[in-house]
Amino acid sequence: MTNYVNQNIKPLNTKINEKGNLEISGCDLTELAKEYKTPLYVMDKNTLLKMAQDYKDAFSNYPKTRMLFASKALMTGAIAQILHNCGFGFDVVSMGEIYTLLNAKIPLDNVSFNGNNKSYEELKFALENNIDHISVDNFYELELLDKVAKEQNKIQKIHLRITPGIECHTHEYIQTGQTDSKFGFDLSMLDKAINLILNDYKNLKLAGLHAHIGSQIFETQVYYDEAKIILEEIKKIKDKFNLELNEINLGGGLGITYTKEDNPPSVYEIAQVIIKSINENCERLGLEKPLLYIEPGRSLVCSAGVSLYTIGSTKEIEGIRKYIAIDGGMADNPRPSMYGAKYSAEIANKKETIKNEKVTIAGKFCESGDILIKDIELNNPKTGDILCVYDTGAYCYSMSSNYNCVLKPAMVLIEDSKAKLIIKRQTLEQLVQNDVI
Ligand code: LLP
């Protein structure tokens, strides 16, 4: 265990209790599975708060920092309220995410709306609810947003989303002149966009530039370069248009430890590099230090979450493989089948001594590709056992589906050694509620 949440596989305070069961922050996972049934998403508030605090501490020597939670990683009212109370704002990408915030009584005064194809209705809804700013992605959106702002008699603050020409592949990155991405303005398009904003789109006020260079990033230098490139663009804009933009948004991307092979930096290392780049490059270019936005998603919530499943059928193919099947899979965690993502897991209810067995964990969905974990050593897994899969706090519930008409799981939050329900299990009635016969 290290001190940094994103460098640990398990939530803080995960241990084997006197009954021989896995527990998190005083909650016995086997008991939780019994009470709330499986599959079950479990979030640990302690771990979440620690990571949020680490983010705040890491950036504390750059006081002009605003942290936005990239809510696509995990959007629920209860989690949003916790992060809101910690001082986080939000990065949203749809009307649904905005609505979920409003439903949790969270105002939009520290919210950024990004995405490459926002609709008229979405922009209208965002402005009607006084969103802080929109990260405009393309020329079409500039025109559309100016129209929406005009209709509402508003001058809307915006950032321009740019592709800074840095492409990250978890362990390495390449810098190219041109990035092939569906998101944002290529650097060569910026002049035209700014000309339009300054001359034609009178209801838009450009405040800064925004970029996001990838996800599950293990590099630090890449953040230095990202800030450098954005500040260089700001300098060019200052010289050309006599306009000094004073906000930058560097996106999210910090990686986490899903398995022993993963080796992400801590948030302190990332913060140091970003702050160093801002200080050095602002000095070099003669710029004021900007307001800095960051948008962590995965690294904030992922390690605080685990998924519990019950083992059902098993199938042994002599000399080849033993499959154990769980009561969930690709509908509640599509990441292994979508990205080949790897996870760590343990049996939550084992008293007896370790008898390791190499198995493959199969989901219950009708696809051969629905394999949650290939070749994992588990402690004598048997039908009826509870399996705990770690690091499912991000991009699992938020990417879940009703494939095969299987109901979406419930989610509980562990707080003060007790669990409380924060998402109810979906019901059969809800499953067919939009069905018109
Ligand atoms: N900001 C922007 C503009 C983004 O597009 C994203 C993620 C983030 C922030 C947050 O990035 P994070 O800190 O979570 O890496 N479904 C994929 C991940 C997709 C990330 C999309 N954008 C997965 O499960 O790995």
Side-chain angles (χ1 to χ4, degrees), residues 124-169:
K124 179 168 176 278
F125 187 67
L127 267 59
E128 279 168 358
N129 287 288
N130 301 316
I131 196 152
D132 183 68
H133 69 274
I134 311 281
S135 174
V136 178
D137 200 271
N138 51 61
F139 290 108
Y140 166 76
E141 189 186 335
L142 274 178
E143 187 177 348
L144 188 63
L145 181 62
D146 184 61
K147 177 170 168 254
V148 174
K150 201 167 287 158
E151 285 168 3
Q152 297 187 26
N153 250 326
K154 284 193 167 153
I155 306 290
Q156 179 58 47
K157 172 174 142 180
I158 62 168
H159 289 175
L160 290 180
R161 167 87 182 255
I162 59 165
T163 44
I166 299 174
E167 216 176 294
C168 282
H169 306 278

Side-chain angles (χ1 to χ4, degrees), residues 132-367:
D132 183 68
H133 69 274
I134 311 281
S135 174
V136 178
D137 200 271
N138 51 61
F139 290 108
Y140 166 76
E141 189 186 335
L142 274 178
E143 187 177 348
L144 188 63
L145 181 62
D146 184 61
K147 177 170 168 254
V148 174
K150 201 167 287 158
E151 285 168 3
Q152 297 187 26
N153 250 326
K154 284 193 167 153
I155 306 290
Q156 179 58 47
K157 172 174 142 180
I158 62 168
H159 289 175
L160 290 180
R161 167 87 182 255
I162 59 165
T163 44
I166 299 174
E167 216 176 294
C168 282
H169 306 278
T170 311
H171 301 275
E172 62 193 61
Y173 72 97
I174 45 168
Q175 250 180 283
T176 53
Q178 191 106 354
T179 304
D180 183 4
S181 163
K182 74 167 182 172
F183 293 107
F185 293 90
D186 193 86
L187 296 183
S188 64
M189 302 168 177
L190 263 185
D191 280 4
K192 181 175 166 199
I194 293 168
N195 261 318
L196 283 167
I197 295 165
L198 294 180
N199 298 314
D200 296 357
Y201 300 139
K202 300 287 184 207
N203 291 68
L204 304 184
K205 179 172 180 342
L206 179 60
L209 299 181
H210 171 210
H212 169 76
I213 49 178
S215 201
Q216 185 62 353
I217 295 173
F218 289 4
E219 280 278 339
T220 53
Q221 177 67 24
V222 71
Y223 286 100
Y224 186 96
D225 292 349
E226 184 192 16
K228 173 172 175 274
I229 292 171
I230 292 181
L231 290 167
E232 282 167 353
E233 289 307 313
I234 287 183
K235 166 73 171 152
K236 282 186 215 157
I237 293 166
K238 182 181 172 190
D239 292 347
K240 220 177 265 175
F241 298 95
N242 195 23
L243 168 73
E244 181 156 352
L245 303 180
N246 48 18
E247 301 191 2
I248 66 173
N249 182 338
L250 300 182
L254 172 60
I256 70 133
T257 309
Y258 285 101
T259 69
K260 286 198 297 284
E261 281 71 49
D262 295 331
N263 190 18
S266 74
V267 59
Y268 291 91
E269 290 169 78
I270 295 291
Q272 252 180 357
V273 168
I274 290 175
I275 295 167
K276 182 167 185 275
S277 180
I278 294 177
N279 288 340
E280 288 178 3
N281 288 299
C282 282
E283 164 106 49
R284 178 173 66 88
L285 299 163
L287 295 172
E288 289 281 314
K289 286 190 194 152
L291 180 66
L292 166 68
Y293 284 90
I294 52 163
E295 296 169 332
R298 183 191 325 265
S299 55
L300 202 49
V301 292
C302 203
S303 317
V306 304
S307 296
L308 302 181
Y309 302 97
T310 304
I311 295 176
S313 64
T314 62
K315 170 180 176 180
E316 186 150 18
I317 310 166
E318 267 316 316
I320 298 185
R321 184 179 300 288
K322 179 167 178 183
Y323 287 98
I324 64 168
I326 52 168
D327 52 357
M330 67 189 291
D332 59 80
N333 181 356
R335 298 191 69 261
S337 52
M338 274 182 88
Y339 316 119
K342 297 203 163 52
Y343 282 87
S344 305
E346 283 182 295
I347 302 292
N349 56 294
K350 279 287 140 99
K351 296 184 186 69
E352 65 263 47
T353 45
I354 301 280
K355 236 172 52 190
N356 276 344
E357 189 180 5
K358 194 200 252 183
V359 295
T360 285
I361 301 169
K364 65 176 270 130
F365 295 86
C366 288
E367 294 208 19

Side-chain angles (χ1 to χ4, degrees), residues 38-39 326-332 363-366 370 400-409 425-428 431:
T38 56
I326 52 168
D327 52 357
M330 67 189 291
D332 59 80
K364 65 176 270 130
F365 295 86
C366 288
D370 178 26
S400 64
S401 76
N402 278 127
Y403 188 42
N404 291 173
C405 285
V406 171
L407 304 177
K408 290 193 185 183
R425 188 172 301 281
Q426 205 180 19
T427 63
L428 288 171
L431 185 73

